[in-house]
Structure formats: structure tokens, C-alpha cells
Amino acid sequence: MKTKIYFEHDLKKLKTVFDNTVFNCAKICVVTDKNIAKIYFKNKPISNKVFYYVCSAGENSKSFDTACSLYKFLIENNFSRQDILIAFGGGVIGDLTGFVASTFMRAIRFIQIPTTLLAQTDSSIGNKNAINFNGVKNIIGTFYKPEFIYINTSFLKTLPPLEISNGMAEIIKYSLLDKDFFNYLIEQKNIFKDEKIFMRVLKKSVRIKLNIVKKDKLEKNTRRFLNLGHTLAHALESVSDFSLGHGQAVSLGIIFALYISCLRNLDVSIMKKVIEILKNYALPTKIHCLNKDAVYTKMFCDKKFDNGKINIVLLNDIGNPIICNDISKTQIFEAMDYLIDNKLS
């Protein structure tokens, strides 16, 4: 059965959506972080049905320690399989909650309410949940679907500009997998100037991901195209101890992949266009310093590493991705050098 996704710009449907889902559960646990709690849960209603688990904000909460803390919280408050978890936050909260929901009592229900652009367009979609371990991003995880996903653009109004840019990196990635969408993004120049245009872009991004996921639910084949830019991105995040935002890392990872693509057969003018789009949404197109050896080593820890080889998604053209595992260390280092130099940008 497909997971229902609701799109809204106000809160009109929220009560109806919840009434149809949680009416038969004894308890609800809202999982969120301290930043979100300050905005939305200052005056938490006192109830013997609704519980709140609040963790630290940031990537370091996507860990075994936090997962174990949440397990303990659920056990202490006598949660059962009939109860439900609500992930209310960004990608870290969604991943953490989904992972715990899929493993606690061998799975209890959960709901995704993503509050960041990155989570609304990417991490809440596709039923993947993960935690980081031993300095490696998303290395332990599950495939487990939420009861529904509630996407409300009004949540984005509280985000700093950096978080909006982080989300745009994933939207731009989707456009590289769909030529019409790519041309639409170029044509619009600024998708935030009109709420209808923004909602159209948001829905299109989700649709692109869903269409890929439904053909390859467990990421054995074409779903790996969604990893465009992510082989380098996850290594950069790990090496930076997750101080580099995911969207920032994906932006650099996209240029890295396009540079290698240009070494093969991609027209360099496409890379130039993509760099301009990334810049237009305040995403980085270069990095001031880079420990290439450390980043290269981390690439071998990634889940995209397979049979002794690093799999990297490249482009033959916009809308025509390919997975390659024959990229030499020399080419990888040359592409990393380009990120520091960035001569074409």
C-alpha cells in the first residue's frame, strides 16, 4: 500500500489527518529536537496520551546513543505496538524516529512531519531510515514506511537561509535526473518568488523520487541514481565530523560528479549551467581546504562501496544518469582538486 503524502501551506487538514490515523492508539510520542521544541512546543499540553522526546539538534543525534535513549524512554512510558511515534523535525529527526520505530518491538507505527526543505523534498520520502556509526554517515538503517507524510510549507518560514539552501541542493539534484524539470528551474530563476511555483517544484521533486523508488524499493538498481552527488557528499560530511551541512556537501558532490562526467563525455557547458544554478541558491561550488586522502578513505566506508569498488553516479546528459565503478583514483583526486580550484566557476 502506498504511503499517503499530504501537501499544505496552512494547517487546515492536520486535525482530520491525525484523527483518521491516531484515534485507535493509546499513546503518542512526538520526537523532536531542542530548536523545534522552542518554536512549536513551548507550552506542551499535559496529557497521559501524548509524550515528548526532545533531543539535541544536529547530526550527532543520529546515533546509537540517542536511539538507545529513545528506546529507554518508550519502555519507561510503557509504549506498545498499538502506539505511534511522530517524527516532527528535519532529516535527523525523521531518520532517528523511523529507525527506532522499525526496530522497537519489531516495529511500531510512525508518522513523518518534516519541517525542513531538505526533509520535505528528500529524507522523509522513500522509506529509508538510518543512523550514523563510527563516523560513517547512514551506515546502519532500515527500510520502513510511515503511516503518512505531512508536508506543510508554513514550517519553512522559521528556517534560516542556510537550511533553505541545503534543501535546494536536493531539488537541483532531482532536476539533473529530469530534463524538463531542469529547464523549468533555469527558466524560473527564483522558485521562492511565487508560492504556487514553489509548491509545484516541491511536488515535482517528490514525484521524481517516488517514481524512481517504486521501481526499486530496496536500492538494488536504478534507485541508486538518487545518490548523484552523494558519494563525495557523505565522505565530506564524515570528515568534517558533520559540521558541513548535507545540502552544502551535496552541492560540492554534484560538481565533483559532473567534473568526472566531463572527463568522459558530458558537455562542459552543462556543468557550467549547474554551477550557476547552485550559486543562484547560495550553495557552495568550491571548498577552501580539503584533506583528499581522508575523504578518499571515507568513500570506501560508504554503502555505495560494493565488491571492492566505489560506485559513483555520473551523467551522460541531463536526465541520463549512469552508475560507474571504474573511476580511477587519479580521476577522483583531479575532481577534488577542481573543487578547490574551481577554474570554470
Side-chain angles (χ1 to χ4, degrees):
M1 193 172 77
K2 285 197 305 183
T3 300
K4 179 71 176 174
I5 303 176
Y6 299 91
F7 292 91
E8 269 199 297
H9 57 80
D10 52 35
L11 298 171
K12 288 179 182 175
K13 291 180 188 171
L14 188 57
K15 185 178 186 304
T16 304
V17 167
F18 268 77
D19 285 348
N20 291 339
T21 305
V22 303
F23 71 94
N24 63 341
C25 71
K27 293 174 184 171
I28 298 164
C29 179
V30 178
V31 182
T32 192
D33 68 44
K34 290 177 181 177
N35 290 346
I36 297 289
K38 284 177 192 173
I39 299 169
Y40 296 103
F41 303 115
K42 277 183 181 175
N43 301 307
K44 293 183 284 194
I46 298 171
S47 166
N48 59 2
K49 179 169 181 170
V50 182
F51 296 77
Y52 298 87
Y53 179 86
V54 182
C55 64
S56 298
E59 192 76 21
N60 287 330
S61 284
K62 216 166 90 169
S63 66
F64 257 133
D65 286 347
T66 312
C68 289
S69 172
L70 180 50
Y71 290 137
K72 185 179 178 184
F73 180 85
L74 296 174
I75 291 167
E76 287 174 348
N77 289 287
N78 299 311
F79 271 72
S80 73
R81 277 184 173 173
Q82 283 65 53
D83 301 324
I84 199 160
L85 306 186
I86 298 175
F88 193 95
V92 168
I93 292 299
D95 263 340
L96 171 70
T97 308
F99 178 78
V100 168
S102 68
T103 50
F104 182 72
M105 291 188 168
R106 296 195 178 128
I108 65 172
R109 296 179 299 159
F110 87 109
I111 293 166
Q112 283 271 21
I113 305 183
T115 61
T116 65
L117 183 57
L118 200 153
Q120 291 183 357
T121 57
D122 186 60
S123 61
S124 70
I125 312 297
N127 309 328
K128 291 202 310 190
N129 315 281
I131 57 173
N132 307 327
F133 180 69
N134 204 29
V136 182
K137 174 104 171 175
N138 292 344
I139 198 65
I140 299 172
T142 61
F143 290 93
Y144 185 61
K145 24 180 219 190
E147 294 292 299
F148 65 83
I149 302 164
Y150 178 79
I151 295 172
N152 193 312
T153 57
S154 68
F155 294 139
L156 306 181
K157 293 174 182 175
T158 64
L159 296 181
L162 180 61
E163 284 303 319
I164 297 296
S165 292
N166 275 329
M168 278 308 304
E170 292 290 355
I171 290 173
I172 293 165
K173 177 199 74 178
Y174 293 130
S175 80
L176 299 179
L177 304 176
D178 184 302
K179 188 168 279 190
D180 290 339
F181 189 37
F182 180 73
N183 291 333
Y184 183 76
L185 277 191
I186 291 176
E187 179 188 320
Q188 294 308 316
K189 293 186 171 60
N190 179 6
I191 66 167
F192 301 105
K193 64 187 176 186
D194 184 293
E195 191 172 288
K196 288 181 180 177
I197 290 172
F198 174 63
M199 186 63 86
R200 191 176 300 135
V201 167
L202 188 59
K203 288 181 177 180
K204 178 65 175 176
S205 298
V206 170
R207 200 176 309 121
I208 289 171
K209 182 164 187 178
L210 287 175
N211 285 340
I212 292 173
V213 167
K214 75 180 180 182
K215 295 172 186 173
D216 181 19
K217 291 182 173 63
L218 299 180
E219 201 174 2
K220 302 293 185 184
N221 194 0
T222 52
R223 182 170 180 167
R224 293 188 294 168
F225 291 154
L226 294 169
N227 291 324
L228 177 62
H230 285 60
T231 303
L232 181 76
H234 285 174
L236 288 174
E237 288 180 85
S238 295
V239 168
S240 75
D241 196 23
F242 304 107
S243 64
L244 184 68
H246 180 67
Q248 295 171 296
V250 168
S251 178
L252 295 166
I254 286 171
I255 298 171
F256 168 84
L258 294 184
Y259 183 89
I260 296 174
S261 300
C262 288
L263 293 178
R264 297 186 170 216
N265 59 1
L266 183 70
D267 190 325
V268 73
S269 66
I270 291 175
M271 182 167 71
K272 288 182 177 180
K273 283 182 185 177
V274 175
I275 287 172
E276 288 309 309
I277 296 172
L278 293 167
K279 284 181 174 179
N280 189 43
Y281 289 101
L283 284 159
T285 58
K286 61 182 177 181
I287 194 164
H288 296 301
C289 59
L290 188 61
N291 185 333
K292 292 180 288 185
D293 290 312
V295 171
Y296 184 70
T297 299
K298 281 294 181 185
M299 286 183 181
F300 287 90
C301 301
D302 194 81
K303 60 187 171 63
K304 293 173 280 298
F305 174 67
D306 190 27
N307 291 324
K309 294 181 179 179
I310 299 170
N311 292 290
I312 299 179
V313 182
L314 303 180
L315 286 186
N316 289 321
D317 196 358
I318 300 297
N320 186 6
I322 184 172
I323 298 166
C324 295
N325 62 11
D326 61 345
I327 301 160
S328 69
K329 182 178 179 180
T330 300
Q331 289 176 319
I332 288 172
F333 272 63
E334 183 180 336
M336 284 195 275
D337 281 333
Y338 175 74
L339 285 177
I340 302 169
D341 264 345
N342 219 359
K343 291 168 187 171
L344 293 180
S345 62

